[in-house]
Structures are given as structure tokens and as C-alpha cells.
Amino acid sequence: MTADASGIVLSHNAQAAVLLPRVAAGVALGEIAPAWLTEAHMRLGGGAGEELSARADGAPDPSAWAEGRIDAYWVKALAAPGVDGAVTWWLVVESTPGSTPASVPASVPASMTASTPVSAAGELAHERARAGLLQELSSDLLTSLDVDRCTAMTARRAARDLADAAVVVGTGDGRTFPVTRCTADGPVVQERVALDPGQLPGLAEALQGLPAVSSRWIDPREVPSWAVPEGFTGGVADIGSVAVVPLPGHGVPTGCLILLRRRRQTEFTPAEESFAQLFAARAGAALSVARSHTRQAHSTDVLIRDLLPPSLGRVNGICFSGGYRASVADELVGGDFYDLYPADTPEAETVAVLGDVCGKGLEAAVVAGRVRHALQALIPFAADHTRLLTLLNGALLSSYRTPFVTLVLVTAVRQDAGVRLRISSAGHPAPLIVRVTGQVEEAPTDGTLIGVFADIAFRTAEVALQPGETCLLYSDGITEARGGPLNDVMFSEDRLRAVLAQCAGMPPEAITERVQMVIAQWVGEGPHDDMAVLAIGAPRDTCPTTVNEPPRER
């Protein structure tokens, strides 16, 4: 826009009319321009040709610049001297530091915005804002290892800081893909969608981790309906520009990011597409970490599931209850274990076992898992305790990686109103029998530990439980637990007997809970070994029940 020395507009181009709608030749500058621009013109007018000059490096003299707000936009004006005091003003629309390119209206030509050189301070502030955005994104994403939450956060931040709407398409199975979409101010919607990546140019390539396709090559009319968030008013018809950016991961792509802008916004510039790729690189790295964590957690859950103690209850009229506490506070399994193998009929014997392998932690739990699997295979021989334990001993001797194990093998069957037990100990503490009278007896059984000697022997005891009586199997982690004032006194079998004497007549569930509570109070926060208890009881009622039936106490 050119004005003479007195401030009368001589000429202007179409771009100037975008910012100053009332501009016209012959109109006073003060009537159509803000005060800061009018004052700058009057200060430089007349002698502008003499006062304005270029510096030695060719850059405009700082006095040639003026800046201020025109409506909602921050504008810098560069004065160029003319004849007879006339001044030509070049108007440059600047985005405020940290704002997105979408803050500049589509009506403002690109030649008036980012492509025009502005002050170094403004560029530095803009770059700092972009770096801050990337740092904030990384910090937010890495606070969660949940894939869905990371994906939702990526879509939300992209819609708010890069475009009007964003869609994250994850890697799928070839037919369906996880899709997360949202607008800048709308809700995040996550669902699995059956889609053809070839429907949108650049999508198939991005999902394979190939470089992004330029947004200038993507026709907004080709955007499929599944990629348009519900809050995007106008739908596909209102899309002005589209960018498809891959989300790189650690070795394999994690998906792609689709950015949508409305028609009234400017198109994506090459600089904006480059920044979107930096944004996607941060998001893709966080998603890759989250997915790796999810896979590891799932694998751990699957592997540990078989190592966990089984759920116990009534089986063929016999009550079973167990309790377990690993030596490591944040682990669920260890070297102690117990198992139950229900009989098919009430007349057959149900098999129960409690054991202790050498070692602690997850490695001991894996060994215990191998022992349990071997026992499960040998259950058909449970009628003969000696044969079963001999076969188990041979199996463990043939495996050089399996250390020794101690265990108690029990077969139980309902007999009239009571329960008949056959008990064999293989180097393990003998079970304790809690009579209804309060008397605590030790089952008369002993034998050789498993997995060490080729020649072994066992003594099997037969025990009859009357209604209300319980047989308690326990690991040495119970009696050897250290506590007391100085945490150096073992709990001992005598204390265990005293606790059980107070539990006379209680159901097995109450006895195991009582023992665990007393032991927890004894050890406090101190270190301890794995601890396991398994109670087998004759219920007070006379009606046999199956494992799926609730107990019926009289």
C-alpha cells in the first residue's frame, strides 16, 4: 500500500485490502488504518527518501519497521521510500509466538505470512514454542504405559496444536484397525474399524513406515467417512487440507496420524508438515514403548497364571482351603506351592499336595511349576503313594536343572460323616491334625526328599477326620519365620500348635486365615521365606457337595 507525504492512499494491492477492507485510492490513511500505522507514516513521510536507507549488510534499517495489531492479527509493516515523500508499506501478518498456523485465516495469502522474513526474535520465539510443545508431548505420553491412553493423548494434542481434527490409525490385522479420532474441542472416540488403507492416499504407505506423502497430493474429497470425527461440522465437504504422517516405532511402525483442516484454514506448508513429522516421531516412540510394555505384561500374566495357587473350596463333601505368601512382597509366586486334583466321583480319592522347592522368587516358581506339571501327569498312580513319589523322584533326577523338593501327598475321600486321609511326607514337615477337642496331633508320616537320592522310602499314615476336624499342611516358611522384639526368634512348631489348638472346631477357611494373620503379625515388615498352608477338613454337615456347590453348615 502506497500513501503520499500527507497520508492519502495512492494505490494498494488485493492483499492489503484483506487486512484493510476500507482501503481505496484517495482515502486518508487515518480513516482506514490503525493509529500505529498512521503515526509511523506521518513520522517517515516527507523526508522518507532521505531518512530511510539500507544497512551495509543489505537488511532494512530498523527504523523502517513498524508493528501493531490490525483486528485480530499482529502485523509488521516495512516502509519503502518513494518520490516526493511517498511511502510504500509492505504489510506482513505474523502468528503470535506459540500459536498454530491455523490462527492465520485462509484469506491472508501465504506471501504475507510465514514465507516473508520477520524479526529474528519472533522466529526464535516460534521455534522455542515448537520445542516446548514437543517436550510437553513427550512428558505427557511417557507418564502412561497404557496404549489406548497414549493414543488418545496423541490424537487430542495433534487436533489442538496441529490441525482442527486428528485421527490415529494403529497397526491392524489386515482387515480391521484401531482408530482414534477427535476434534480440537470434542470427545475422543476409539473403536476398531474395518477399512481399506488404499481408500486414502498415503495411508497404506504410512502404515508400512514409508515416508509421508505431501499434503498437496491428497484430495480432501477422498477422505473416507470413518476418518472424520463426529464433531467435525460439515463432514468431508468441510475438509480443506489433509496430511498423513507415519508414526515410527522401535523397529516397526506403530501406525499413522491423519491431520484435517477446515476449508477456512490455510493449507499445510512444508514447514508444518516437517514439524508434524517431529510430533509423530515423539508420539510413535511413546506408543512403541507402551505397546512393548503391554505385550510383556500380557506374556507375564499368561506365564504366571499357571504358577498361581488354585482356587479351593468343597470337593465331594470335603473342605479345602489354602493360603500363600511369597517371600518377595511384590511377587505372587515363589518356591512353595499347593495343588488340588478333584476326583471324578465322590467314591474316588481326591488328591492334594503341598510342596517346597529349593530357592526363592520367580526362578523357584518356575521349578515349582515343572514339579506340579509332573505331578499332574502322575495323578493316575495316586492310589499307590510310594509308586507315584518314586516316579516323580525319577523324573526330577533325570532333569539336571531341577533341584530337590519336599512335599506332602494326601488322598482324601468322604467316609460316612467324616473324611479318611492317606498322608505321605517326602522330607516335608508332617501335617498337624486339629481335633474338635482342641488336641493337636502330628500325622505319623515321614520319607525321603525328592530329586536327590535314587533309593527312597516313605511311610504313609492313615488319618480319620470327624466332623469339624481339620488336617493342616504347611511349609517350613511358617515355623521358621523369624519375629519377636529383635526379629530373631523362629515362630516354631510349638507356637503353631498353640494357635491351632485355639482353632478347634473352626472350618478350614477360618483356620488358614487365622494362621496367616498370626504369622503376618509375627514377621511384621521383616524378611521371611515363602509361606504356604493347605487345610483339609471334614464339614459338620453330612451332605456331600461338589466343588461348584456352596458349603452348607448346620
Side-chain angles (χ1 to χ4, degrees):
M1 178 182 64
T2 302
D4 62 16
S6 62
I8 301 300
V9 176
L10 300 178
S11 63
H12 65 85
N13 63 8
Q15 287 99 332
V18 172
L19 290 175
L20 304 169
R22 296 185 298 162
V23 67
V27 177
L29 192 62
E31 297 179 5
I32 53 93
W36 64 268
L37 182 58
T38 303
E39 293 172 358
H41 180 83
M42 300 308 297
R43 184 176 68 252
L44 299 175
E50 300 175 0
E51 297 178 6
L52 298 180
S53 61
R55 299 189 309 185
D57 59 2
D61 190 290
S63 63
W65 288 100
E67 60 182 336
R69 188 170 295 280
I70 297 180
D71 293 333
Y73 317 116
W74 189 261
V75 178
K76 283 199 171 187
L78 173 62
V83 296
D84 299 328
V87 178
T88 297
W89 291 98
W90 295 89
L91 306 179
V92 181
V93 176
E94 275 199 337
S95 299
T96 56
S99 65
T100 64
S103 62
V104 182
S107 56
V108 178
S111 61
M112 299 174 61
T113 57
S115 61
T116 305
V118 294
S119 66
E123 288 294 331
L124 179 60
H126 184 61
E127 289 302 319
R128 284 177 175 174
R130 296 191 350 164
L133 171 61
L134 294 177
Q135 183 176 3
E136 183 180 353
L137 174 70
S138 298
S139 178
D140 290 346
L141 290 177
L142 292 177
T143 57
S144 174
L145 293 177
D146 182 78
V147 175
D148 290 340
R149 190 176 303 172
C150 282
T151 305
M153 192 177 300
T154 298
R156 169 69 68 197
R157 296 301 300 268
R160 189 182 71 181
D161 299 318
L162 302 180
D164 295 314
V167 182
V168 177
V169 181
T171 55
D173 56 10
R175 295 176 300 175
T176 61
F177 297 79
V179 175
T180 301
R181 51 182 177 263
C182 71
T183 58
D185 54 359
V188 176
V189 177
Q190 294 180 299
E191 59 181 348
R192 200 164 187 92
V193 179
L195 59 90
D196 177 12
Q199 292 176 324
L200 181 63
L203 177 58
E205 293 80 1
L207 290 175
Q208 296 174 14
L210 299 178
V213 175
S214 173
S215 61
R216 291 174 296 175
W217 298 352
I218 303 176
D219 186 350
R221 294 172 296 180
E222 296 183 11
V223 176
S225 58
W226 58 261
V228 182
E230 295 180 0
F232 198 84
T233 307
V236 175
D238 193 36
I239 300 175
S241 55
V242 184
V244 179
V245 186
L247 290 170
H250 295 159
V252 294
T254 59
C256 77
L257 175 65
I258 304 174
L259 303 174
L260 306 177
R261 279 189 179 172
R262 301 184 188 278
R263 287 189 175 278
R264 64 174 182 270
Q265 306 295 352
T266 57
E267 296 180 352
F268 292 99
T269 65
E272 291 168 353
E273 291 186 20
S274 296
F275 180 70
Q277 292 177 17
L278 293 176
F279 180 99
R282 299 291 182 96
L287 283 170
S288 183
V289 171
R291 290 183 179 179
S292 177
H293 177 269
T294 299
R295 286 193 296 268
Q296 291 177 4
H298 176 70
S299 299
T300 302
D301 179 67
V302 171
L303 293 175
I304 289 184
R305 194 178 303 159
D306 286 341
L307 302 179
L308 293 173
S311 298
L312 303 180
R314 281 200 180 190
V315 177
N316 297 328
I318 308 171
C319 295
F320 295 90
S321 176
Y324 186 83
R325 182 178 179 181
S327 59
V328 182
D330 58 349
E331 292 186 359
L332 301 175
V333 293
D336 289 3
F337 65 93
Y338 59 81
D339 244 325
L340 182 68
Y341 306 95
D344 295 333
T345 64
E347 294 76 20
E349 290 181 317
T350 292
V351 181
V353 61
L354 183 143
D356 182 3
V357 303
C358 179
K360 298 180 181 179
L362 188 57
E363 292 183 357
V366 173
V367 175
R370 293 205 298 266
V371 174
R372 293 169 66 186
H373 289 157
L375 276 169
Q376 186 175 15
L378 296 173
I379 289 302
F381 304 102
D384 186 341
H385 286 199
T386 299
R387 184 181 183 190
L388 185 150
L389 295 174
T390 301
L391 291 173
L392 177 63
N393 184 67
L396 298 187
L397 286 175
S398 63
S399 176
Y400 68 93
R401 294 184 302 171
T402 302
F404 68 85
V405 57
T406 67
L407 58 85
V408 175
L409 177 66
V410 179
T411 49
V413 65
R414 190 68 181 261
Q415 191 175 59
D416 298 328
V419 174
R420 179 175 60 85
L421 305 178
R422 291 192 301 126
I423 307 172
S424 295
S425 172
H428 200 85
L432 297 177
I433 312 301
V434 185
R435 302 296 185 183
V436 290
T437 60
Q439 182 180 0
V440 179
E441 306 171 357
E442 182 179 284
T445 177
D446 53 39
T448 312
L449 54 82
I450 303 295
V452 177
F453 307 107
D455 296 328
I456 55 177
F458 308 99
R459 180 165 58 113
T460 301
E462 291 194 7
V463 175
L465 299 179
Q466 299 303 316
E469 296 181 339
T470 300
C471 173
L472 182 73
L473 286 62
Y474 62 93
S475 63
D476 57 10
I478 298 291
T479 53
E480 295 178 2
R482 295 185 178 273
L486 300 178
N487 288 328
D488 61 349
V489 180
M490 289 197 302
F491 188 71
S492 74
E493 185 178 322
D494 291 339
R495 287 187 174 87
L496 179 58
R497 285 173 175 267
V499 171
L500 293 178
Q502 299 172 358
C503 298
M506 291 184 180
E509 297 87 349
I511 294 178
T512 55
E513 184 176 349
R514 174 63 179 170
V515 170
Q516 287 183 291
M517 182 183 68
V518 172
I519 289 297
Q521 293 174 345
W522 180 258
V523 300
E525 299 297 327
H528 58 84
D529 198 357
D530 298 323
M531 296 184 289
V533 290
L534 174 62
I536 307 172
R540 290 184 177 275
D541 63 80
T542 58
C543 299
T545 59
T546 66
V547 71
N548 295 320
E549 293 177 325
R552 297 189 293 274
E553 297 289 325
R554 291 193 300 184

